[in-house]
Every structure is written in C-alpha cells, then in structure tokens.
Amino acid sequence: MTWKETRLKHLCVDSGQYGLNVPADHYSAAGTRLIRTSDIAADGTLRDAECGVHVDMTIEARHQLAPGDILLSRSGTLGRSFLIPEQAQGYTFAGFLIRFRPKPGVEPRFLNYATQSAGFQGTVHSEAVASTIQNFNADRYANISMRVPALEEQQRIADFLDAETAHIDQLVDLRSNQMQLVKEWYASTLDAAFSRDNHAPTRLKYLLASRPRYGVLVPQFIDGDGVRFIRVNDLLDLPGRAASLRRIPKELSSQYARTVTQAGDVLLSVVGTMGRSAIVPPELEGANVARAVASLRPRVGIPPELISAWLTTPEFMRQAALATSSDTAQPTLGMEDLSNFSLFWPDTPAAQRDLLRIIQTTQERYKSLTRAFQAQSRLFAERRQALINAAVTGQFDVSTASGRNVTEGVSV
C-alpha cells in the first residue's frame, strides 16, 4: 500500500474559505440556514434544525455548502470538524468556520476522518498554543501535513470507519438512554421519599433558622489573602473545589455578612441554572457566595442532607418553574417565594433518620451507576479515536480488519 506525504491544501480545491460575518441581530426566521460553531455537536453531527438560525440574503457561490465539504472550527471548539451531508446542500456557514472542499479523486469521508485523527488535532492545538492566538486561520489549516493512500484505499478506510464508528455510536446511544432511565429512577425515588405518607405538610421557611439570602452581587476578585467565593459551577463538587475557589476582599464579604457560610449551610443555585445544590463542608466555613446562589441555614436538629436532597426533587423543580421570574435578564427565583415552597417533611427525629437512610442509599446507588456509565463512555470514546487514528495512518489493512479487536496494541 503506497501512501504519499502532502498537505491539506493539496487535497482541496482551494486553501480554505472563511464563512460569513453576520451579526446575531441580522438572523431571520426564514431563508438560508447558517451553520455556526455551536451548531456542530461534539460527535460531529449537526444539531436539530429547531436550534438553528437563518439569514435572509443572497448567498454567493463561495459561501454555499455542498455535500462532501468539510467545515473546521477556528475558534472556541478549535479543530472540530463537520462533513456536510446531502440534506445540508445549499446551507451557508458563519465566520468562525472554514470550508475545505476536497478535490475530485479525494474521498471526503476519509479526509474528514483524517482531520479527527490525533496527529491532525495535535498539530492544530500545539500550533495554536505556540502562537498564543485565539483562533486558527485558514492558512495554518491548509498547511498541515497529511499522509494519504490511493482513492480506492481511502474509500475502503472510510467504509470501514463508517461501519465501526456507527457500531460504537449505537453503544454510546444505548448507554445514554440507560443513564437517562437511571436519572428518572433517581428523581422518582426522591419524589416518593418526600411523599405525604407518614410526613407532615410544611413550608421550607419553617425548617430554616433565617430567611434565604442572595450572595455578593458584583464580586471583585483578588489574588492571595481574601474570602473564598462560591459560584454556581462550584456546587457541582464543592469539597473538591475548596482549594481552588476564587477569593474576594474581606471588606466586600463583610458587607454581605448574612451569607458568610457556616458548615452545614445548604447552597442553592437560583439564577439562570436552577436547582443545583450543595452542603457547605467544615473547611469552607467563612466563605461567601455569588448573587446567583442562595444560602439556606437549617434550624438546629434539621438534617441539611434532607433539605439538599429535597432541593433536587422534581417537586421542587415544579414549584421553582412556577415561581421563577422572567422579568430579569436571567430566570430568577425570589427568596420570598423560595421560603414559602411547600413540602412533606418527617415530623419526628426517628422518621428523619429513616428518610435519611433511604436518601443516602439512593444517592450512593445513583453515584455508583453514574461512575460506571461514565467509565464506559470514556472507553467507547477512546476506542473510537484509536480506530480512526489507526485506520487513517495505515496501521492495519481495513479489508481484513474487524474493529472489535483491531486496535489491540495500538496507542490510543
């Protein structure tokens, strides 16, 4: 098998075409669909048309997409590629994408897989870091070195990868569906645990020592000594992020003394992203929270784990959806509304302990299943990438290969 050294530009009709620079206020409800970087999913597929935008203008031929064209992202999702399918005929594309059109005698599918290979992607990211630029221009893409075989071999490799990656993608979809079922099981189990059986109706405010509070409105971050500052994304893994939290001046934190944290406080996202919850660990006592985070302090004897668990239930989300204000730039949950949310609560210490055991068992099972699915997803992604790397670099003969064992011994 003969492979030749070349560059991307020598496999295409030109050295790349930049997309249209169209501001968002020029988008229209109808016209030609405009593909943006955000429309290309991580798996290389085009997001649903419902998520897309259009431009009502005459599109020059050089900006009209044809099946087999390859779009490469030059900013943000740097290096992400997309092979234009038949149904995208005539679409156009935005300025942070570059179109490469394969020459006759070059298999577009092979070229698209080659742009996804570790070698190609490694070149893109290493050169981007070395040049300290925020985007990767057409000339840089066009001059990336590549090795390609004859057309017939390109087609065999593309056929092989189409079949094998489709098989892997089916397994990924299956795991994704299973994970969705696990999420639904978890939510319904928590909802059932807080049902009216053996529980008394109450309002959230009667479980708290004080009214919920918003945090610091406009943080001023500093380096070095200061008060640790908890933002919405930090609630995903609060103990794990404790050491890396940003800090704000002590005098700024003192202006918001009511949201200085104590161990056992329950934090809840209430602006934009709703329902993300975490309990303040002892090592984060004395921190403060962002405006988008509400601080809830349970009364003495009220387990914060139970309050935090209830804040993740579908019932809480239903009440939050009804109470959320859309008058602001981002959906916002008011503190008075939050205080008056209703729930069924175990009214004796023994009942609270029983409920806590149910919650903890459910959470442990959910975390265990989530970790297992995440590990499988990583393995699928690694195998998919290894197949592409090996096939487009000629490490095996695809005419006799089976993707289920072909990557044994091949570097991922």
Side-chain angles (χ1 to χ4, degrees):
M1 185 192 316
T2 302
W3 292 61
K4 69 175 183 179
E5 294 283 347
T6 186
R7 296 181 186 275
L8 177 60
K9 63 184 177 182
H10 299 315
L11 301 171
C12 300
V13 299
D14 56 29
S15 295
Q17 172 63 55
Y18 292 107
L20 297 170
N21 289 313
V22 182
D25 58 3
H26 283 57
Y27 296 161
S28 62
T32 302
R33 181 168 179 185
L34 177 74
I35 299 179
R36 304 160 295 171
T37 54
S38 58
D39 293 321
I40 302 173
D43 61 0
T45 58
L46 187 64
R47 300 190 192 280
D48 292 340
E50 292 76 14
C51 305
V53 299
H54 298 77
V55 289
D56 188 9
M57 57 189 291
T58 301
I59 307 299
E60 296 181 36
R62 64 196 177 103
H63 287 130
Q64 294 176 11
L65 293 169
D69 285 352
I70 296 170
L71 294 178
L72 290 170
S73 174
R74 66 185 180 98
S75 184
T77 53
L78 184 63
R80 183 170 292 179
S81 64
F82 176 59
L83 179 65
I84 300 300
E86 292 286 343
Q87 60 267 32
Q89 170 82 44
Y91 288 5
T92 190
F93 56 108
F96 284 118
L97 292 167
I98 305 171
R99 186 267 297 149
F100 287 90
R101 179 165 293 164
K103 287 180 177 178
V106 176
E107 172 55 57
R109 293 174 300 149
F110 171 86
L111 194 57
N112 185 54
Y113 281 122
T115 65
Q116 298 174 36
S117 69
F120 188 94
Q121 291 290 319
T123 298
V124 171
H125 290 280
S126 63
E127 289 192 13
V129 170
S131 63
T132 66
I133 59 174
Q134 295 301 309
N135 60 66
F136 203 79
N137 62 32
D139 185 62
R140 288 176 177 272
Y141 270 127
N143 281 289
I144 293 179
S145 297
M146 308 181 75
R147 292 179 69 246
V148 296
L151 177 59
E152 289 186 1
E153 184 63 17
Q154 292 178 35
Q155 292 169 338
R156 279 196 293 269
I157 291 172
D159 290 342
F160 169 82
L161 288 175
D162 282 351
E164 295 299 334
T165 57
H167 175 70
I168 293 174
D169 292 343
Q170 287 176 351
L171 293 175
V172 170
D173 288 343
L174 176 62
R175 293 296 180 271
S176 178
N177 292 337
Q178 290 173 330
M179 191 63 238
Q180 183 59 39
L181 291 175
V182 168
K183 289 180 180 178
E184 292 172 3
W185 162 80
Y186 177 69
S188 63
T189 301
L190 289 187
D191 243 7
F194 284 98
S195 68
R196 65 178 65 245
D197 296 340
N198 302 317
H199 296 167
T202 188
R203 294 189 182 275
L204 183 59
K205 61 185 176 183
Y206 299 130
L207 306 176
L208 305 178
S210 58
R211 183 177 180 271
R213 302 284 179 180
Y214 293 119
V216 177
L217 181 59
V218 183
Q220 175 189 343
F221 296 124
I222 61 172
D223 296 323
D225 190 33
V227 175
R228 284 173 294 185
F229 188 68
I230 301 170
R231 294 174 288 179
V232 169
N233 284 343
D234 298 321
L235 302 182
L236 291 169
D237 180 20
L238 195 53
R241 300 189 183 194
S244 60
L245 292 176
R246 299 294 302 271
R247 293 175 182 266
I248 60 174
K250 293 178 180 178
E251 58 271 20
L252 179 59
S253 180
S254 65
Q255 297 174 26
Y256 295 82
R258 292 180 177 179
T259 52
V260 172
T261 58
Q262 293 182 10
D265 284 353
V266 179
L267 305 181
L268 174 70
S269 58
V270 292
V271 178
T273 301
M274 291 288 163
R276 193 171 288 174
S277 175
I279 299 171
V280 175
E283 62 268 27
L284 281 179
E285 185 156 334
N288 216 317
V289 301
R291 173 66 170 74
V293 176
S295 181
L296 290 73
R297 182 158 298 159
R299 288 170 42 201
V300 174
I302 299 296
E305 296 84 0
L306 288 185
I307 292 180
S308 181
W310 184 77
L311 293 173
T312 65
T313 62
E315 176 55 33
F316 166 79
M317 294 304 297
R318 283 190 286 269
Q319 294 188 49
L322 292 173
T324 298
S325 169
S326 58
D327 297 335
T328 54
Q330 290 183 298
T332 301
L333 181 58
M335 296 298 94
E336 187 65 28
D337 289 326
L338 177 60
S339 296
N340 284 294
F341 278 13
S342 60
L343 68 157
F344 291 98
W345 190 258
D347 53 3
T348 66
Q352 290 178 16
R353 289 192 296 270
D354 289 343
L355 179 57
L356 188 56
R357 280 193 292 270
I358 293 172
I359 296 297
Q360 290 174 336
T361 299
T362 302
Q363 289 176 336
E364 289 169 4
R365 179 60 174 160
Y366 176 70
K367 290 177 182 177
S368 175
L369 290 170
T370 299
R371 285 193 296 267
F373 284 127
Q374 289 173 340
Q376 289 179 338
S377 295
R378 286 192 296 270
L379 287 174
F380 288 144
E382 290 170 1
R383 174 166 287 279
R384 192 182 197 279
Q385 188 62 57
L387 275 173
I388 292 172
N389 293 343
V392 301
T393 55
Q395 293 184 40
F396 59 84
D397 182 358
V398 299
S399 62
T400 60
S402 169
R404 282 166 285 282
N405 58 19
V406 76
T407 54
E408 290 181 8
V410 174
S411 175
V412 174

